[in-house]
Amino acid sequence: MQMKALCAVLLSCAAVLAHAAPAPSTEADDMDSLLAQKGLMVHLREVRNSVAERASDLVVNAMGFIGVPYRRGGASEAGVDCSGFVRTIYEQTVGLMLPHRASEQAAVTQKIDRSELKPGDLVFFNTMRRAFSHVGIYVGDNKFIHAPKPGAKVRVEDMRIGYWNGRFDGARRVEGADDAAIAAAANLPAAR
């Protein structure tokens, strides 16, 4: 009997809430209509596609480095360290010169939550008892590509394994980063 009473109360509450809910707004429809009239919907779609293509290009280019040996200070297919790898991929793929040190790359890029990660974003780890001492490129499905350490080669790893999960320091997005800060950190003149 108590179960029937509880169900009746829940159904009554649901009916009241449904009746009290405001009517759907047409503001979103009005905005879409305005954007379409101004030709901006096409532009927004092009921007979304461009960002998706850029992320895909970053990941594909990064995957081309699998097997390249780790080399401290390296930034070419002859050998790379973690930040040199990231710098090289971004320079080759999108023409953006990031600083060489992982901590500087973290400082000039946009902080994002781990749940917001998208392919092409940067992931940072504390591997040397200091913040942002290691960096890699997120490729999706909780995996990242990086140049791990001397004697190793560029490879893809899962961020959920104990070693990486316990050392995760944060995620950053290069899109939306401060161009002037990137140029200054890379010792380049700022774009005008």
Side-chain angles (χ1 to χ4, degrees):
M1 187 65 173
Q2 290 177 344
M3 185 60 103
K4 284 184 180 180
L6 180 59
C7 286
V9 169
L10 289 174
L11 287 173
S12 296
C13 288
V16 169
L17 289 173
H19 181 70
S25 170
T26 60
E27 287 179 28
D29 292 337
D30 291 344
M31 181 59 80
D32 286 347
S33 177
L34 177 64
L35 290 173
Q37 288 173 0
K38 300 287 185 188
L40 296 176
M41 285 301 281
V42 172
H43 181 67
L44 285 173
R45 273 188 231 110
E46 288 172 358
V47 168
R48 281 189 201 118
N49 290 339
S50 173
V51 169
E53 286 172 16
R54 188 173 81 179
S56 177
D57 290 346
L58 280 163
V59 171
V60 167
N61 193 12
M63 291 295 189
F65 273 69
I66 288 179
V68 169
Y70 181 95
R71 191 176 96 216
R72 183 170 168 78
S76 72
E77 291 181 24
V80 291
D81 63 10
C82 67
S83 56
F85 169 66
V86 168
R87 179 182 176 145
T88 299
I89 296 303
Y90 266 88
E91 182 180 10
Q92 288 181 357
T93 309
V94 295
L96 180 63
M97 181 77 76
L98 292 171
H100 191 89
R101 298 186 65 203
S103 60
E104 292 170 348
Q105 290 175 356
V108 299
T109 51
Q110 177 187 356
K111 183 178 180 178
I112 59 170
D113 190 76
R114 188 172 183 161
S115 65
E116 298 175 89
L117 276 167
K118 294 179 184 174
D121 288 338
L122 304 183
V123 287
F124 293 89
F125 303 89
N126 178 340
T127 59
M128 303 177 90
R129 295 190 177 122
R130 69 175 188 273
F132 307 111
S133 54
H134 189 71
V135 62
I137 298 172
Y138 186 72
V139 297
D141 194 30
N142 288 300
K143 293 182 175 51
F144 71 108
I145 185 168
H146 67 127
K149 61 184 177 182
K153 296 178 179 182
V154 173
R155 63 184 180 218
V156 174
E157 295 200 60
D158 195 314
M159 293 172 40
R160 296 171 293 193
I161 66 169
Y163 181 85
W164 296 113
N165 192 45
R167 287 167 175 78
F168 183 75
D169 237 355
R172 301 287 192 271
R173 183 157 295 147
V174 176
E175 173 189 321
D178 182 352
D179 292 337
I182 289 173
N187 296 319
L188 301 171
R192 296 187 190 255

